[in-house]
Amino acid sequence: MPLKMPHNPLLIGVYPGTFDPVTFGHMDIISRALPLLDKLVIGVAENAGKGPLFSLEERIEILKTEIKSLPNPEEKEISILGFNNLLVQFAETQKARVLVRGLRPVSDFEYEFQMAGTNRKLAPHIETLFLMASEPYQLIASRFVKDVARLGGELSSFVSPEVGIRVREKYN
Ligand code: ADP
């Protein structure tokens, strides 16, 4: 018998990521996911193993500032929370039925395909929703933003001016 989930009238989605730092690509996924959901939880993975440039607290703080300038005409609820447990467990604590992921051409596919399959086995009642990266942002990756900043390059095509300042501060 399939597991019966308690009915939750609100469609809640979790958008998980490292957001080290948040880029225009992430913000595009957030703004496109928002109209599809009643509430969006941005889950900031602690991801200590990845050796993030920004601490979890800094990444959350930066995201909170960026979200303030995001158009949200329907005034949808957005929360930004850190997590360091299994993604599907975090999603369950948030009563989410959807995981939102962005898909950039080619490079993301295999990893995302495996992750969605693993999460489906762990929690079949939670569906992963993929949004294809929008054309202007397809090549943006937090990893490259850090590489460009470290080598003194221009960041304005990838992140907001505020995020650019924060990244540069780290390398100064
Ligand atoms: P992770 O460590 O989980 O890869 P990221 O912060 O790098 O975390 O990315 C979080 C999610 O956002 C992933 O689904 C990733 O594919 C997506 N993403 C990142 N950059 C972009 C972009 N430029 N366009 C669309 N989606 C993106």
Side-chain angles (χ1 to χ4, degrees), residues 69-169:
S69 50
L70 184 86
N72 183 2
E74 293 174 277
E75 297 185 12
K76 293 281 177 73
E77 188 180 344
I78 306 176
S79 55
I80 303 170
L81 300 170
F83 73 100
N84 61 7
N85 55 342
L86 202 57
L87 173 58
V88 289
Q89 282 170 357
F90 173 68
E92 265 163 8
T93 60
Q94 298 304 311
K95 300 187 168 49
R97 276 189 283 147
V98 171
L99 299 174
V100 176
R101 296 289 287 176
L103 207 55
R104 285 162 292 190
V106 196
S107 60
D108 281 337
F109 181 78
E110 194 167 347
Y111 173 75
E112 294 291 341
F113 187 80
Q114 288 178 352
M115 190 166 99
T118 306
N119 287 333
R120 201 177 168 73
K121 284 248 185 296
L122 294 169
H125 48 280
I126 298 179
E127 195 63 70
T128 305
L129 174 72
F130 289 103
L131 297 177
M132 300 295 159
S134 297
E135 202 269 323
Y137 310 123
Q138 285 181 355
L139 300 176
I140 303 179
S142 299
R143 187 162 42 101
F144 294 128
V145 170
K146 288 178 276 190
D147 285 346
V148 171
R150 190 166 42 83
L151 299 168
E154 176 61 45
L155 296 177
S156 57
S157 305
F158 315 123
V159 296
S160 73
E162 296 73 26
V163 174
I165 291 168
R166 298 290 298 260
V167 180
R168 286 203 192 291
E169 275 170 7

